[in-house]
Amino acid sequence: MELHVKREHSLSGQYPNRARMLISCPDGPGIVAAVSQFLYQHGANIVQSDQYTMDPDGGMFFMRVEFDLPKLAERIDEVRSVFSGVAERFKMNWQIFNVSQKKRLAIFVSKEDHCLVELLWQWQAGDLDADIALVVSNHTDMQAYVESFGIPFHHIPVTADTKAEAEQHQLKVIGDDIDVIILARYMQIISPSFIEHYRHRIINIHHSFLPAFVGGKPYAQAYQRGVKIIGATAHYVTEELDGGPIIEQDVQRVSHSDDVNELKRIGRTIERVVLARAVKWHIEDRILVHHNKTVVFN
Amino acid sequence: MELHVKREHSLSGQYPNRARMLISCPDGPGIVAAVSQFLYQHGANIVQSDQYTMDPDGGMFFMRVEFDLPKLAERIDEVRSVFSGVAERFKMNWQIFNVSQKKRLAIFVSKEDHCLVELLWQWQAGDLDADIALVVSNHTDMQAYVESFGIPFHHIPVTADTKAEAEQHQLKVIGDDIDVIILARYMQIISPSFIEHYRHRIINIHHSFLPAFVGGKPYAQAYQRGVKIIGATAHYVTEELDGGPIIEQDVQRVSHSDDVNELKRIGRTIERVVLARAVKWHIEDRILVHHNKTVVFN
Amino acid sequence: MELHVKREHSLSGQYPNRARMLISCPDGPGIVAAVSQFLYQHGANIVQSDQYTMDPDGGMFFMRVEFDLPKLAERIDEVRSVFSGVAERFKMNWQIFNVSQKKRLAIFVSKEDHCLVELLWQWQAGDLDADIALVVSNHTDMQAYVESFGIPFHHIPVTADTKAEAEQHQLKVIGDDIDVIILARYMQIISPSFIEHYRHRIINIHHSFLPAFVGGKPYAQAYQRGVKIIGATAHYVTEELDGGPIIEQDVQRVSHSDDVNELKRIGRTIERVVLARAVKWHIEDRILVHHNKTVVFN
Amino acid sequence: MELHVKREHSLSGQYPNRARMLISCPDGPGIVAAVSQFLYQHGANIVQSDQYTMDPDGGMFFMRVEFDLPKLAERIDEVRSVFSGVAERFKMNWQIFNVSQKKRLAIFVSKEDHCLVELLWQWQAGDLDADIALVVSNHTDMQAYVESFGIPFHHIPVTADTKAEAEQHQLKVIGDDIDVIILARYMQIISPSFIEHYRHRIINIHHSFLPAFVGGKPYAQAYQRGVKIIGATAHYVTEELDGGPIIEQDVQRVSHSDDVNELKRIGRTIERVVLARAVKWHIEDRILVHHNKTVVFN
């Protein structure tokens, strides 16, 4: 008898010809017209489109379009090629994703299991439409659990002395085709070169309502300060500790009677939910990063 | 010395050439392309655009576009006229609004003042970008307060016997150029013919989390049922009591120690906030109604 | 290598002499004085005490006291015996619990796994200070998963014809020492005689914000009505379907773009959190039931 | 015709013999017994009692008791006198309040009116059971509005040079019998000697979710950091800027499309609600301060 029943109600299966386009560029007239005209001429049907112009930052234009295009798989390269002409005209940063090609995730974890458990449960329930390619950990606590899902687990210990080679080892097991790395309470600082390699593709969950309580002991700090609400923050990792673009935050009310352990217990549920939302939005191509902020179309 | 200092940081002043377009129609290829092409050709710059396709209900397409068009005031009639050709092609329900032409509101109130006070405060603070044309009440309690803002107040008593002529009187004082009627805790049933006259243009605030606790005593019912959360609901008025399309809802946690009066006190703040949000979205043309549901682009 | 690492940071271990007292009785002078005097004379130290008098319902008094009493285990019978005199004087309903004697839970589940997974995870993380004695299901889907925690799993199929004997079978496997039954999305109606047997000791999670959307298809109803917030409700099971005393509710904002499947997906997280809170409060003796309402001291 | 109809559904009127007792002291056996015995012997009936022991901080005991005592007004001095013996035994900090003697408030305001408007509306609605003795402002914008409620308004300008004498002037108009000072968006730093004079009796509303965004431009900082939730914090004023004991916080979700002005607009409603809650809890004697934290019994 199987331990975990993986269910599939993924978009990939339902909509084999669905694609998504992410665009950011300086604002100007005619962008929406050009994009929608392009899609119309290629026989695409737009099923969802979101657009936002950030005024104060010098007029940046952001757009996400979800569309169905017959025979997508065989035509997507040609579509990308033709669109690059449109893109050049408007100086666009752009990407077109084939929804059927699931994103590949690597999850990093240490000893705390709640965020990993949540991601695996949502994945197994069919709510995270992605492939979990592997789990990397500096401890072995989660090995049996991860492997019971049929997911490869790599134990790569990290010490102050071996940090650089540990990261080399991590990069090697990850390989070349990972779309996003999830730090599911991975309690190690990532080096700048590693971050550079996966710019805006490493999602961390920080166990406080940033920018309050940066660093390693946020619940103790929250208790000390006597806050009445605690929170968690999912963000892309940058060189500044807990300072990267915020993707999602959520909070929960607490009271004077909650000690540090109780804050941690309450916090675990917020962390789980916030990280899972951020991962879901990333794999659904809902997030655009501009400077140190995110535009999230959801 | 003036009692109320009306502040203006309205959109009308800031963006004299801004317009909004609301569209709903059966889904089909080319709609976004046609609309954005039309706007581009008329020299409009799209500043915000939202779109949603409701699948299960047979493919309805909804769109809201906010755009700037040079010399809007003198050109808007021509724009509307030309667009009607596009609209016909896709069987659109559509409207184009000149943002500078503020919507005109009539507020109906009985004795409870909190929702009226909130609307007047938000209006006076410049947060409700509309004109409050008049206040109608079946009581005189609020007369001095309303008139201190320089807003006309009409006292129209309503009894079981005089209901029909009271509504005639109301229609007369309202006149022909009111865009939306706000029932700010107006404790009278509106007749079907009155509703028909202002279809989807009468917003009511109901003091419960609908569809729970329809009717006149929701807080007493909530207390009786022992709910742990109470709420309020803003909806368009239809012939079915408290059954119209829901625009917005919000809630607040309560406990066993809150009696009916405390529920009412807590509820007043939810009601105020929910009604004000619904009114703001209506006057910013963010709401589309389809059957008994709303699409809210916010 | 073990699959699940059960962690223990339970109160039982930390505070071996801790007890809890729950009292409800008609209000009157001297109750708090009598109870606290009694505890003081027996050498107990009160660590937490909550009290509430429900006025409108004819003056009912509710109290929860948490206290440490040296050599609790050997003295608790005597304490109970002496206290019964105090209790009689004030016509009290009362119970004294030894915190070290963990409550024993039976979990009923059908095919939906999210609530079960949450309870098992919280239990394994040491956050639910109870023993999970067994899991009963009318399906076998969860068997391997439950047994991987070392928890007995009983498959008892239920059909329209075999309902009565299935319940007999359930009662037999449950035995005599189960404190509370958790219906973790168990999709069968419980018979009145079964309910009577476990009066106010069966906790159900209903997948709507009760009293809205009673019955089996709440998310479909919520979608149909176009609500802007969905919720879940944990309640004690009574003879009236979804009508028992509400323990806890929580909600989440949704929008027009969430279809029924998306409502279900969002709802699963609310259901998990709400049920787990209710179970935690029950096993921590925080809930008193009066008529059809709960007093929750948390 | 009157402009503002002051309604009275105050506790003072309803329960003329109601009193409240606030206690904090080192924890130890027999405290609850001694207090409840004392009250019982004086013929008091406890209607609400809350108690909390803060473990990690060396065992501090906090208690709030609400009770009815026949002929309270004539007996309260004697009760206080006798209780001081009990208090001495347990080294208590304690106060006994006669609920009928309403607390007297002074409100300080600058130009932003929303917090003042909220407090006056709640007061006039009978929801703030206190006397608003006077309003002090460094500007005249609110004078007519405040005076329309029949409340004295004192315009005391403050400049860098005149700060010290302005505070002297403020102290003089406040007089000796003000219980609590509310800084309802009063944009001036209070001097240490002024703070000392009203230790834990000055409530400020800070327009961020502290400890994030201390200082004068929190919404600009929040926008810059790209947070997904904004908040407000009510706290007692201490010598450390925005660093005093937190009474209450609340938050609201925002998105990338909310610019600084929109954050301010959304924030105004959070500020209003949070400040009003803190003031309500203070005048209902629900707050105890210990070191830099609050215990709030609500």
Side-chain angles (χ1 to χ4, degrees), chain D:
Chain D
M1 202 176 303
E2 268 192 278
L3 188 55
H4 304 282
V5 189
K6 177 84 173 73
R7 276 164 298 170
E8 284 290 348
H9 30 84
S10 70
L11 284 172
S12 348
Q14 277 182 274
Y15 305 105
N17 289 316
R18 183 149 297 179
R20 298 189 197 111
M21 185 187 258
L22 284 186
I23 295 169
S24 62
C25 64
D27 194 23
I31 305 175
V32 178
V35 171
S36 54
Q37 200 63 29
F38 170 87
L39 289 172
Y40 181 54
Q41 281 161 358
H42 283 75
N45 189 35
I46 297 177
V47 290
Q48 175 77 34
S49 127
D50 294 280
Q51 181 233 309
Y52 167 64
T53 305
M54 195 185 282
D55 267 323
D57 280 34
M60 278 299 288
F61 173 93
F62 304 91
M63 192 176 194
R64 177 186 187 269
V65 189
E66 201 158 338
F67 58 91
D68 289 329
L69 190 143
K71 299 189 181 168
L72 178 75
E74 44 188 274
R75 292 177 59 204
I76 193 163
D77 286 341
E78 171 221 337
V79 167
R80 282 178 182 139
S81 161
V82 181
F83 187 73
S84 66
V86 179
E88 209 168 318
R89 181 143 57 96
F90 294 99
K91 300 193 190 335
M92 289 176 178
N93 278 316
W94 65 280
Q95 286 173 291
I96 297 176
F97 300 97
N98 180 344
V99 172
S100 297
Q101 281 191 301
K102 293 192 188 187
K103 295 229 174 0
R104 288 171 56 80
L105 273 56
I107 303 178
F108 282 35
V109 69
S110 290
K111 290 189 155 197
E112 292 259 24
D113 67 347
H114 53 287
C115 288
L116 176 70
V117 167
E118 180 74 20
L119 292 175
L120 291 185
W121 175 75
Q122 291 209 9
W123 170 76
Q124 168 259 328
D127 288 344
L128 279 190
D129 195 17
D131 288 330
I132 299 182
L134 76 166
V135 172
V136 171
S137 181
N138 51 339
H139 297 280
T140 56
D141 305 53
M142 296 293 108
Q143 178 157 3
Y145 183 70
V146 169
E147 290 177 349
S148 79
F149 285 85
I151 298 172
F153 179 94
H154 297 268
H155 174 224
I156 304 179
V158 181
T159 65
D161 292 345
T162 63
K163 198 172 178 65
E165 49 192 295
E167 283 200 351
Q168 285 309 312
H169 190 176
Q170 288 167 354
L171 287 170
K172 201 176 136 210
V173 302
I174 290 175
D176 288 335
D177 60 346
I178 288 297
D179 294 284
V180 58
I181 296 171
I182 317 297
L183 308 186
R185 296 299 305 270
Y186 180 67
M187 309 310 280
Q188 298 286 330
I189 308 283
I190 309 294
S191 76
S193 69
F194 195 108
I195 291 168
E196 184 54 43
H197 206 85
Y198 287 96
R199 176 67 58 192
H200 299 157
R201 294 193 294 144
I202 309 174
I203 297 175
N204 182 47
I205 180 72
H206 183 72
H207 38 321
S208 86
F209 186 75
L210 288 175
F213 312 133
V214 164
K217 298 269 183 210
Y219 291 121
Q221 289 177 271
Y223 178 77
Q224 204 56 36
R225 183 64 187 91
V227 294
K228 300 301 186 185
I229 288 175
I230 60 169
T233 305
H235 64 94
Y236 288 115
V237 174
T238 62
E239 286 77 3
E240 186 189 345
L241 180 65
D242 302 329
I246 293 172
I247 302 168
E248 171 64 339
Q249 306 187 285
D250 214 335
V251 295
Q252 183 80 28
R253 190 165 281 277
V254 297
S255 90
H256 59 263
S257 68
D258 296 310
D259 62 17
V260 177
N261 280 331
E262 191 65 11
L263 296 189
K264 285 181 185 171
R265 193 189 66 73
I266 294 168
R268 281 197 285 270
T269 288
I270 319 175
E271 294 166 35
R272 286 191 286 157
V273 168
V274 167
L275 178 61
R277 269 191 222 140
V279 171
K280 185 173 160 60
W281 295 342
H282 183 98
I283 65 183
E284 293 177 0
D285 307 308
R286 296 183 178 280
I287 313 173
L288 287 144
V289 178
H290 181 62
H291 295 159
N292 205 42
K293 296 166 76 166
T294 61
V295 172
V296 181
F297 290 122
N298 62 344

Side-chain angles (χ1 to χ4, degrees), chain B residues 57-70:
Chain B
D57 280 36
M60 278 299 287
F61 172 93
F62 303 91
M63 192 176 194
R64 177 188 188 267
V65 189
E66 202 159 337
F67 58 91
D68 288 329
L69 191 143

Side-chain angles (χ1 to χ4, degrees), chain B residues 38-149:
Chain B
F38 170 87
L39 289 171
Y40 180 55
Q41 281 161 358
H42 283 75
N45 189 35
I46 297 178
V47 290
Q48 175 77 35
S49 127
D50 294 280
Q51 180 232 310
Y52 167 64
T53 305
M54 195 185 281
D55 268 322
D57 280 36
M60 278 299 287
F61 172 93
F62 303 91
M63 192 176 194
R64 177 188 188 267
V65 189
E66 202 159 337
F67 58 91
D68 288 329
L69 191 143
K71 300 191 181 167
L72 178 74
E74 44 189 274
R75 292 177 58 204
I76 193 163
D77 286 341
E78 170 222 338
V79 167
R80 282 177 181 138
S81 161
V82 180
F83 187 74
S84 67
V86 180
E88 208 167 319
R89 182 145 55 97
F90 294 99
K91 297 192 189 343
M92 290 176 178
N93 278 315
W94 65 281
Q95 285 173 292
I96 297 176
F97 301 98
N98 180 344
V99 171
S100 297
Q101 280 192 302
K102 294 192 188 187
K103 295 230 174 0
R104 289 172 55 80
L105 272 56
I107 303 178
F108 282 35
V109 67
S110 290
K111 292 188 156 197
E112 293 259 25
D113 67 347
H114 54 287
C115 288
L116 176 69
V117 167
E118 180 74 19
L119 292 175
L120 291 185
W121 175 76
Q122 291 208 10
W123 170 75
Q124 169 259 328
D127 288 344
L128 278 190
D129 196 18
D131 289 328
I132 300 182
L134 75 165
V135 172
V136 170
S137 180
N138 52 338
H139 298 279
T140 56
D141 305 53
M142 297 293 107
Q143 178 158 4
Y145 183 71
V146 168
E147 290 177 349
S148 79
F149 285 85

Side-chain angles (χ1 to χ4, degrees), chain B residues 9 26 50 74 99 115 130 149 152 170 207 209 220-221 251 253 261:
Chain B
H9 32 84
D50 294 280
E74 44 189 274
V99 171
C115 288
F149 285 85
Q170 288 167 354
H207 38 320
F209 186 76
Q221 289 176 271
V251 295
R253 189 164 283 275
N261 280 331

Side-chain angles (χ1 to χ4, degrees), chain A:
Chain A
M1 203 176 299
E2 268 194 278
L3 189 55
H4 304 281
V5 189
K6 178 82 174 73
R7 276 165 297 171
E8 284 292 348
H9 32 84
S10 69
L11 285 173
S12 347
Q14 276 183 274
Y15 304 105
N17 288 317
R18 183 149 298 179
R20 299 188 196 110
M21 185 186 257
L22 285 185
I23 296 168
S24 62
C25 64
D27 194 23
I31 305 175
V32 179
V35 171
S36 54
Q37 199 64 28
F38 170 86
L39 289 172
Y40 180 54
Q41 282 162 357
H42 282 75
N45 188 35
I46 297 177
V47 291
Q48 175 75 36
S49 126
D50 294 279
Q51 181 232 311
Y52 167 64
T53 304
M54 195 184 282
D55 268 323
D57 280 36
M60 277 298 288
F61 172 93
F62 304 92
M63 190 176 196
R64 177 187 187 269
V65 189
E66 202 159 338
F67 58 91
D68 288 328
L69 189 143
K71 300 190 182 168
L72 178 73
E74 43 189 274
R75 292 177 59 204
I76 193 164
D77 286 340
E78 171 221 337
V79 167
R80 283 178 180 137
S81 161
V82 181
F83 187 73
S84 66
V86 180
E88 208 167 320
R89 181 144 56 97
F90 294 100
K91 299 192 190 340
M92 290 177 178
N93 279 316
W94 65 282
Q95 285 173 290
I96 297 177
F97 301 97
N98 179 344
V99 172
S100 298
Q101 280 191 303
K102 294 192 187 186
K103 295 231 175 357
R104 288 170 56 80
L105 273 55
I107 303 179
F108 282 35
V109 68
S110 290
K111 291 186 156 198
E112 293 259 25
D113 67 346
H114 54 287
C115 288
L116 176 69
V117 167
E118 180 75 19
L119 292 174
L120 292 186
W121 176 75
Q122 291 208 9
W123 170 76
Q124 169 258 328
D127 288 344
L128 279 190
D129 196 18
D131 288 328
I132 300 182
L134 75 165
V135 172
V136 170
S137 181
N138 50 340
H139 298 280
T140 56
D141 305 53
M142 296 293 108
Q143 179 158 3
Y145 183 70
V146 168
E147 290 176 349
S148 77
F149 285 86
I151 297 171
F153 179 95
H154 297 269
H155 175 224
I156 302 179
V158 181
T159 65
D161 292 344
T162 64
K163 198 171 179 66
E165 48 192 295
E167 284 200 349
Q168 285 309 311
H169 190 176
Q170 288 167 353
L171 286 170
K172 201 175 135 211
V173 302
I174 290 176
D176 287 335
D177 60 345
I178 289 298
D179 294 284
V180 59
I181 296 171
I182 317 296
L183 308 186
R185 296 299 306 269
Y186 179 67
M187 309 309 280
Q188 299 286 330
I189 307 283
I190 309 295
S191 75
S193 70
F194 195 108
I195 291 169
E196 184 54 43
H197 206 86
Y198 287 95
R199 176 67 57 192
H200 298 157
R201 293 193 294 145
I202 308 174
I203 297 176
N204 182 47
I205 179 72
H206 183 72
H207 37 321
S208 86
F209 185 77
L210 288 175
F213 312 133
V214 165
K217 299 269 182 210
Y219 292 121
Q221 289 177 271
Y223 178 77
Q224 205 56 37
R225 184 62 188 89
V227 294
K228 300 300 186 186
I229 288 174
I230 60 170
T233 305
H235 64 94
Y236 288 115
V237 174
T238 61
E239 288 76 5
E240 185 189 346
L241 180 65
D242 302 329
I246 293 172
I247 302 169
E248 170 64 339
Q249 307 187 285
D250 214 336
V251 296
Q252 183 80 27
R253 189 164 284 274
V254 297
S255 90
H256 59 262
S257 68
D258 296 310
D259 61 17
V260 177
N261 280 331
E262 192 65 12
L263 296 188
K264 284 180 185 172
R265 194 189 65 74
I266 294 167
R268 280 196 285 269
T269 289
I270 318 175
E271 293 166 35
R272 287 192 286 159
V273 168
V274 167
L275 178 60
R277 268 190 223 139
V279 171
K280 187 173 158 60
W281 295 343
H282 183 98
I283 65 184
E284 292 177 0
D285 307 309
R286 296 184 177 280
I287 313 173
L288 288 145
V289 179
H290 181 62
H291 295 159
N292 206 42
K293 297 167 75 166
T294 61
V295 171
V296 181
F297 290 121
N298 63 345

Side-chain angles (χ1 to χ4, degrees), chain B residues 4-15:
Chain B
H4 305 282
V5 189
K6 178 82 173 73
R7 277 165 297 172
E8 284 291 347
H9 32 84
S10 70
L11 285 173
S12 348
Q14 276 182 274
Y15 304 105

Side-chain angles (χ1 to χ4, degrees), chain C residues 142-158:
Chain C
M142 296 292 108
Q143 179 158 2
Y145 183 69
V146 168
E147 290 177 349
S148 78
F149 285 86
I151 298 171
F153 179 94
H154 296 269
H155 175 224
I156 303 179
V158 181

